[in-house]
Amino acid sequence: MTRAKPSFIGAVALGLVFTNPIAALAQAPGVADQPSVSEASIEQLLNIEVGTVFGASRYQQKVVDAPASVSIVTHEEIQRFGYRTLADVLRGVRGFYVTNDRNYSYLGVRGFNRPGDYNSRILVLLDGHRLNETIYDSAYIGMDFPMSVDLIERVEIVRGPSSSIYGTSAFFAVVNVVTKRASSLRALRGSVEGGSLGTRAGSATFGHTMASGAEFVLAGTAFASDGISSYTVPGVGIAENMDDELARSFFASASRKNWSVRALYSTRNKGIPTGAFGIVLDDRRSATEDNRGFIEVSYDGTWRGNGLLWRGSYDRYTYNGTYMYDLFEGDEPARRAAYADYAGADWLSSEVMLTRRVAKQHFLTGGIEYREHLRQAQWSGYEAEPRTLDRNDTSRAVAVYAQDEFTISPRLTLNAGVRHDEHSAWNGSTNLRAAVIVKPIANAAVKVLHGSAFRAPNPYELHYYENPVPLVPERIRTTEVVWEQYLEHRVRLSMSGFTYRARDLISQGSPVDPADQFAFGNLDEAHASGVELEAEGSWNGLHMLASYTHQRVHSHPGNAPLSNSPRHLTHARVTGPLLPRWVFFGAEGLYTGDRLTLAGNVAEGAFLGNLTLTSRELSRARISLTIGNLFNRSLVDPGAEEHPGDVIAQQGRTLRARLEWRF
């Protein structure tokens, strides 16, 4: 079948949407228009008002109007609970959980987080810029996240499929990280911290607004940790001093009127203490290195009465894995050699999006995206020997999308969107999202949501092994009913029920012989259903939030429960004054239920408690103290196939102190 030309598809869609001569709407408010909450007082935090979100529809709208179930974590909350990574932020969000294999952190949502996955079914954005790299489609959320949380204004979490506006990887959720503006940074700020496991870190941020209205932001961070001194690898031995970590990042942005420029670079090295992939346990050269960077130019303004957003960017990603092995001749080790695993990508991206209000009832959004993958390189092999893998591929992707928010009455809104993606390496994918939003009373909404999404096979899955059968994109369909209610600025209630079916899931194995671990195939299907409950409120100076998730995810056919899929999740946190106007506390309790391991055993459910004490700013200084795993519980996460044991032990109690200074 002949495919339609992408340029023709885009021209037709945009022409139909934006040639309507009816009066246009002024520029839709964007991310940069939102005020900072970094200096919000405890009284402001106690007022639970209807928030706004950008990531749900690519334009700013109230949470009750968004065609999704949305959570927002503000900078004030990040500070009060002592979060230092994006994983810390997301771990306490309703329906989310985090697995750590002592190298990377992996995000689970609605019961899906298979061991060995690379966060490729969650799309992470930075001010709308796609952070998932283009070899593994992975999204980094630990210390490898390419920016300090000190620069985060808020984190928007949009549940459900969003491929109708974002394309591949917007499978289970979209996480949009919104950075601070210069006006909220107040010149130069710095911080130093130290703690358990030889942890030390420092950061500096600078923001300045000129008389002309131009804004500049600069930020740099450095982090180092010795990690645990010894780690017992079941059935293998003890890894000594192999848990070290080093991370650095730099971010810069400049804006004037409608134009903005952003640049980011990060690098992170991590030792491997778990004996993964059968490496020796006494050689600290076994480590992984990840580098990520981009530079982006964007325009957010108007054109012929339409809201216009354009962005163009250059991105780069590299991964270097070094794995030390003893090579044998007979039963005796002959020599020790390094096995190198490399991946690197460079790509160009461009996007044009238009918005327009038509007849006061329709808010139309449409756009075109294009990515040119200049280099998608992968190679691996032992040093001084021929490479077992050596590829350098190129590819391109183009997509067109359109969305209509149709306000029938103040109490009824319909939202529908469609997007078509084409890629040079796989067949195209068309995805829809539809929502009916009813507002029976003020600041309340009942949402009926349905949508589809896809995840394209990435270069790693396509080329690392010789697959006997071509791969096709994974697909998911989700239906959800959400009720949200805000009461008198002090209480928020939420309840949602969801079901989804994911098919053509890509797993390691072959459709010809599923036991063949040197291939990938569309082997699996998963069905799920669940309910999420959440309550947030303020009382007597305290701000409290609690959520509970019950979910059941099973394979199809066979009806077997998935590995690393907890049936129960409970999150609770509370913050308030410990010494009024002087010291504040933030306490968090997270329970993750039992999870199956790949070996069919059970990683028992466990409770994690964290506590942070934060002083008010005194003489430009603020001090905080964070105790992680407050009750020193023994915690484990299911391991992946490359790990000798089927569970990975997590850290015990840790202590971290932090000093911030405003110059």
Side-chain angles (χ1 to χ4, degrees):
M1 181 178 67
T2 303
R3 300 178 189 170
K5 297 291 186 181
S7 58
F8 174 75
I9 296 174
V12 170
L14 291 180
L16 290 174
V17 173
F18 297 105
T19 55
N20 192 314
I22 298 177
L25 177 75
Q27 176 187 356
V31 173
D33 297 315
Q34 298 308 300
S36 169
V37 296
S38 60
E39 298 299 323
S41 66
I42 187 65
E43 288 79 12
Q44 289 173 300
L45 186 62
L46 294 178
N47 287 329
I48 304 170
E49 299 181 353
V50 181
T52 60
V53 60
F54 178 86
S57 299
R58 292 196 180 214
Y59 55 83
Q60 211 74 24
Q61 60 188 158
K62 288 186 175 181
V63 168
V64 292
D65 295 327
S69 174
V70 176
S71 293
I72 297 176
V73 182
T74 67
H75 171 76
E76 183 69 14
E77 293 171 298
I78 292 173
Q79 184 180 78
R80 290 290 169 87
F81 294 101
Y83 299 146
R84 301 312 306 147
T85 66
L86 184 59
D88 292 339
V89 175
L90 298 174
R91 192 191 306 269
V93 172
R94 166 171 43 96
F96 283 66
Y97 59 104
V98 174
T99 300
N100 188 290
D101 66 359
R102 307 204 69 87
N103 194 354
Y104 298 101
S105 294
Y106 309 97
L107 186 62
V109 56
R110 292 185 166 172
F112 199 99
N113 184 13
R114 298 192 303 177
D117 285 353
Y118 294 139
N119 287 337
S120 59
R121 298 178 182 90
I122 306 292
L123 179 61
V124 176
L125 308 171
L126 183 67
D127 292 328
H129 182 98
R130 178 185 288 262
L131 286 184
N132 295 55
E133 46 77 24
T134 61
I135 298 292
Y136 309 99
D137 280 334
S138 59
Y140 294 123
I141 61 173
M143 290 308 304
D144 41 16
F145 181 71
M147 194 184 69
S148 169
V149 296
D150 293 337
L151 207 59
I152 295 177
E153 182 70 19
R154 69 180 185 275
V155 180
E156 304 172 344
I157 300 97
V158 181
R159 298 170 183 81
S162 294
S163 287
S164 63
I165 55 173
Y166 288 112
T168 184
S169 295
F171 203 76
F172 285 112
V174 172
V175 176
N176 184 38
V177 177
V178 181
T179 59
K180 293 180 180 179
R181 294 185 56 172
S183 57
S184 67
L185 293 174
R186 295 188 182 181
L188 178 62
R189 291 176 176 265
S191 72
V192 293
E193 63 181 84
S196 307
L197 308 178
T199 298
R200 57 272 188 202
S203 68
T205 60
F206 174 76
H208 180 66
T209 302
M210 302 180 67
S212 63
E215 296 186 1
F216 301 90
V217 173
L218 297 172
T221 64
F223 171 88
S225 175
D226 298 332
I228 55 174
S229 58
S230 63
Y231 181 86
T232 301
V233 180
V236 180
I238 298 177
E240 301 283 355
N241 301 314
M242 294 186 65
D243 194 33
D244 56 301
E245 184 172 14
L246 177 65
R248 298 179 296 275
S249 68
F250 173 79
F251 175 83
S253 69
S255 62
R256 187 174 187 273
K257 295 183 178 180
N258 303 113
W259 289 93
S260 298
V261 179
R262 294 182 180 88
L264 175 148
Y265 175 76
S266 70
T267 180
R268 182 248 195 182
N269 298 74
K270 180 66 177 68
I272 307 173
T274 58
F277 302 103
I279 60 174
V280 296
L281 301 182
D282 60 351
D283 197 318
R284 296 187 64 188
R285 290 176 291 177
S286 291
T288 57
E289 176 189 73
D290 296 272
N291 302 286
R292 182 72 170 90
F294 72 80
I295 182 168
E296 177 190 82
V297 179
S298 64
Y299 175 86
D300 190 354
T302 59
W303 175 75
R304 294 189 177 182
N306 301 299
L308 170 64
L309 171 65
W310 170 83
R311 67 174 83 217
S313 61
Y314 165 74
D315 287 67
R316 187 167 200 184
Y317 164 76
T318 60
Y319 159 81
N320 285 283
T322 302
Y323 304 93
M324 303 304 301
Y325 294 95
D326 284 330
L327 303 184
F328 287 77
E329 291 183 1
D331 295 330
E332 298 296 327
R335 63 186 179 92
R336 180 165 293 181
Y339 188 87
D341 197 21
Y342 171 84
D346 297 270
W347 64 99
L348 299 172
S349 304
S350 185
E351 174 190 1
V352 177
M353 186 182 77
L354 297 173
T355 57
R356 186 181 185 96
R357 177 75 67 182
V358 176
K360 297 183 179 181
Q361 292 179 306
H362 297 271
F363 189 81
L364 304 178
T365 304
I368 298 175
E369 286 187 40
Y370 179 79
R371 287 198 304 276
E372 182 75 25
H373 301 110
L374 306 173
R375 181 178 70 103
Q376 293 178 309
Q378 300 178 80
W379 60 261
S380 59
Y382 282 105
E383 57 187 1
E385 293 185 10
R387 293 175 177 175
T388 56
L389 171 70
D390 194 351
R391 294 191 64 97
N392 192 359
D393 299 289
T394 61
S395 63
R396 62 190 54 85
V398 65
V400 58
Y401 60 90
Q403 180 177 261
D404 182 15
E405 182 182 271
F406 179 24
T407 304
I408 299 175
S409 73
R411 296 188 182 276
L412 177 61
T413 301
L414 304 181
N415 189 299
V418 59
R419 172 170 166 141
H420 181 76
D421 288 77
E422 288 282 347
H423 195 285
S424 58
W426 42 266
N427 292 329
S429 179
T430 301
N431 292 274
L432 307 171
R433 182 174 68 175
V436 179
I437 303 173
V438 181
K439 299 177 183 177
I441 57 177
N443 293 332
V446 176
K447 305 177 183 180
V448 180
L449 313 171
H450 181 78
S452 64
F454 78 105
R455 185 186 75 87
N458 55 56
Y460 168 68
E461 294 162 337
L462 288 169
H463 305 307
Y464 200 84
Y465 302 116
E466 294 184 3
N467 301 320
V469 177
L471 298 177
V472 300
E474 301 178 343
R475 303 185 184 279
I476 188 172
R477 289 188 179 275
T478 299
T479 300
E480 182 175 4
V481 179
V482 180
W483 170 63
E484 298 172 344
Q485 174 72 63
Y486 291 76
L487 300 172
E488 297 181 353
H489 305 290
R490 294 279 173 157
V491 176
R492 180 182 63 84
L493 303 174
S494 174
M495 179 174 64
S496 64
F498 64 87
T499 179
Y500 65 78
R501 175 188 176 188
R503 57 188 177 89
D504 294 326
L505 295 172
I506 298 173
S507 302
Q508 201 165 346
S510 166
V512 179
D513 180 9
D516 177 11
Q517 294 302 302
F518 296 98
F520 285 101
N522 295 100
L523 303 178
D524 298 323
E525 184 173 315
H527 293 188
S529 59
V531 61
E532 298 173 343
L533 307 174
E534 186 170 70
E536 183 178 12
S538 297
W539 176 78
N540 199 26
L542 299 178
H543 180 85
M544 298 163 284
L545 184 147
S547 68
Y548 169 72
T549 301
H550 181 274
Q551 57 206 0
R552 182 175 183 270
V553 187
H554 57 278
S555 62
H556 181 81
N559 205 36
L562 293 190
S563 59
N564 196 23
S565 179
R567 184 72 63 90
H568 306 278
L569 291 171
T570 302
H571 301 155
R573 64 186 192 217
V574 58
T575 183
L578 186 63
L579 298 176
R581 301 183 62 84
W582 293 98
V583 179
F584 302 91
F585 75 93
E588 182 178 50
L590 310 172
Y591 174 77
T592 302
D594 294 349
R595 291 170 286 172
L596 285 180
T597 69
L598 290 179
N601 300 315
V602 175
E604 294 185 357
F607 174 83
L608 174 66
N610 303 311
L611 175 65
T612 296
L613 304 177
T614 306
S615 74
R616 65 172 295 185
E617 188 173 293
L618 300 172
S619 299
R620 300 187 177 186
R622 178 185 285 117
I623 300 172
S624 64
L625 179 70
T626 299
I627 306 174
N629 195 357
L630 179 64
F631 304 106
N632 200 28
R633 297 292 179 85
S634 296
L635 307 174
V636 296
D637 285 333
E641 293 180 352
E642 65 265 23
H643 299 115
D646 63 344
V647 295
I648 307 294
Q650 302 300 302
Q651 293 178 350
R653 184 186 295 117
T654 59
L655 181 68
R656 185 180 72 248
R658 174 181 170 90
L659 170 65
E660 300 177 52
W661 189 271
R662 177 169 58 88
F663 294 91

